[in-house]
Amino acid sequence: MNKRKRENKLNGWTWSVTSILLAVLILSGCGSKSGGSIVEGKVNVITTFYPIYEFTKEIGGDDANVVNLLPTGVEPHDWTPRSQDIVNTSKAQLFLYNGAGLEGWVPGFLKGLDKDTQVKPIEVSHGIQLIDAVGDDGHGHGAAAHEEEHDHSHEEGTEAEHDHSHEDGTEAEHDHSHEEGTEEDHAGHEHEEESAGTSTDTHHTDPHTWVSPKSALVMAENIKNSLVEVDPEHKDGYEQRFEALKEKLVKLDNDFTSELSKMPKKDIVVSHQAFGYLCRDYGLTQHAIMGLSPDAEPRAQDMVNLTKTVKEKEVQYIFFEELVSDKLAKTLANEAGVETLVLNPVEGLTKEQASAGENYFTLMEKNLQNLTKALQ
């Protein structure tokens, strides 16, 4: 009898522990699957990564519920959506993604949405004059998927029409002016010959549009327009908050223009090829250790060429970024006898930055400080 009681007690204890463990797993799983949930009675906006999320939060204010897909501390090149992300997006009114090849998973993601969804997909880089780069873009979707997301017809000296067909039946025309052979179009491209991955002739669109305040301003206006379109009742609020954000972006643009124009040097060496738009808009040239993907592997000859460039251009600092390994930047810096500094592509916040209240503007201001230090 005592033995049976002990067995029953043991079995009960085992089930209790199992139940607790299951509850913990379920709760932790729910906590990690999404950056938020759908809220009834508000415009629900799903954003793909940090800069779009921040701008949308600022413009949307209390009128919009904004859910960011990318978790804090995760590099967007390495991330793919989960099933809960599809569920949330199917229930939302807006899906804002950068485009320009950043989110290679978008075409398949849109096809996977609920057939009755009313969500409107918006490519917020629309209207920015995009930069072509050479090498592996590292977004894991290959040329075929890239072409599926971006039907780019490049005709010399003419405007290219970008037709994006989405599952909800909407089509957006994208007029990106690519005038080939012009000096403006190729400013900041000298790095292509010296960056890693140039052993192939593969061309990809540089997706890092937001790193330039000039491009970020275009993106912010696209976000505002999309909010007004799906929620005209709160148009005045969206317009007012956009004007406040625009004022900050214009100031940031003016600061970059003013400070960088004074610098005697114009060449920067960076860990990955994420600063093409910033370089084009502010008269700099980037030399990248890696290509468009932060995971690309440079060849030995690339490292030799970069070391030579560092010495020829009298570069004093090699830039690295916080969401990817700084190993190669430090290796090159050691070989060239120079130091390292952070240049943040603002693809996301680290957990420490999020806790400290950092944002797009504080990180870009730090970028400007470090650029002026390196270009003295």
Side-chain angles (χ1 to χ4, degrees):
M1 191 73 179
N2 289 336
K3 183 178 178 182
R4 183 174 297 174
K5 283 182 178 179
R6 284 196 302 272
E7 287 177 349
N8 289 339
K9 187 176 181 180
L10 180 61
N11 288 336
W13 179 84
T14 302
W15 277 108
S16 297
V17 172
T18 303
S19 299
I20 291 169
L21 288 172
L22 283 171
V24 169
L25 287 171
I26 290 168
L27 287 171
S28 63
C30 290
S32 64
K33 281 185 177 179
S34 174
S37 56
I38 298 299
V39 174
E40 295 295 330
K42 284 193 175 185
V43 171
N44 289 279
V45 186
I46 307 297
T47 61
T48 55
F49 77 125
Y50 174 70
I52 300 176
Y53 173 75
E54 181 177 332
F55 296 161
T56 307
K57 286 281 288 183
E58 288 209 34
I59 298 168
D62 292 334
D63 297 322
N65 173 53
V66 187
V67 177
N68 194 38
L69 295 183
L70 195 72
T72 302
V74 175
E75 213 281 337
H77 295 258
D78 302 327
W79 184 84
T80 52
R82 293 147 296 192
S83 57
Q84 186 60 45
D85 299 323
I86 294 175
V87 172
N88 280 346
T89 304
S90 295
K91 296 176 181 176
Q93 285 71 51
L94 277 176
F95 171 63
L96 304 181
Y97 66 104
N98 187 73
L102 180 70
E103 307 97 334
W105 45 267
V106 162
F109 183 81
L110 293 175
K111 289 176 182 177
L113 297 180
D114 189 280
K115 61 183 171 79
D116 298 321
T117 184
Q118 299 297 308
V119 70
K120 184 175 181 60
I122 299 292
E123 182 186 42
V124 301
S125 66
H126 166 53
I128 297 169
Q129 186 173 339
L130 300 178
I131 292 174
D132 283 335
V134 177
D136 177 23
D137 70 347
H139 300 292
H141 56 283
H146 181 72
E147 288 170 7
E148 181 182 351
E149 185 183 348
H150 296 265
D151 183 14
H152 288 191
S153 176
H154 297 273
E155 296 180 9
E156 191 169 338
T158 66
E159 289 191 350
E161 279 194 352
H162 294 223
D163 297 330
H164 293 236
S165 296
H166 299 304
E167 287 300 303
D168 63 354
T170 62
E171 288 190 357
E173 283 194 354
H174 294 242
D175 297 328
H176 294 181
S177 178
H178 295 261
E179 297 180 1
E180 296 183 7
T182 65
E183 192 171 313
E184 179 188 359
D185 213 27
H186 291 83
H189 281 232
E190 292 176 24
H191 65 280
E192 291 178 3
E193 295 179 3
E194 293 168 324
S195 63
T198 53
S199 57
T200 70
D201 292 324
T202 306
H203 285 258
H204 294 278
T205 301
D206 183 345
H208 304 91
T209 51
W210 63 93
V211 186
S212 166
K214 290 185 189 297
S215 297
L217 190 53
V218 176
M219 295 167 68
E221 186 163 12
N222 287 338
I223 292 168
K224 180 263 295 182
N225 290 341
S226 68
L227 285 165
V228 170
E229 184 177 352
V230 299
D231 185 24
E233 184 180 343
H234 296 105
K235 176 181 177 180
D236 290 345
Y238 295 138
E239 294 280 3
Q240 289 172 10
R241 289 185 291 267
F242 166 71
E243 288 301 323
L245 177 60
K246 178 180 178 180
E247 188 176 326
K248 292 195 292 183
L249 285 168
V250 168
K251 182 185 182 302
L252 190 65
D253 174 33
N254 289 338
D255 289 346
F256 268 78
T257 300
S258 174
E259 294 302 316
L260 295 179
S261 66
K262 302 173 187 175
M263 295 298 106
K265 297 177 183 176
K266 302 297 179 184
D267 293 88
I268 60 173
V269 176
V270 297
S271 58
H272 108 264
Q273 194 175 318
F275 303 95
Y277 294 92
L278 186 146
C279 287
R280 179 185 69 183
D281 291 342
Y282 302 102
L284 305 180
T285 299
Q286 71 173 337
H287 306 270
I289 300 173
M290 295 169 281
L292 290 173
S293 166
D295 297 324
E297 290 293 334
R299 300 166 300 171
Q301 188 58 45
D302 294 320
M303 297 296 282
V304 170
N305 291 341
L306 278 167
T307 303
K308 183 181 178 183
T309 298
V310 167
K311 293 177 180 177
E312 287 180 351
K313 303 291 185 181
E314 297 182 344
V315 171
Q316 297 300 313
Y317 294 91
I318 307 295
F319 288 111
F320 69 94
E321 55 199 73
E322 290 152 307
L323 288 181
V324 297
S325 173
D326 62 353
K327 183 179 177 182
L328 283 172
K330 287 187 173 178
T331 298
L332 179 58
N334 288 335
E335 289 182 4
V338 297
E339 298 180 59
T340 58
L341 271 177
V342 170
L343 193 61
N344 198 321
V346 203
E347 294 177 338
L349 299 178
T350 65
K351 291 179 181 178
E352 292 75 19
Q353 288 168 339
S355 299
E358 299 275 16
N359 58 41
Y360 176 87
F361 292 95
T362 62
L363 295 180
M364 287 298 290
E365 285 162 3
K366 289 178 180 177
N367 279 347
L368 181 55
Q369 290 170 10
N370 284 349
L371 281 168
T372 55
K373 181 177 180 179
L375 295 171
Q376 296 285 347

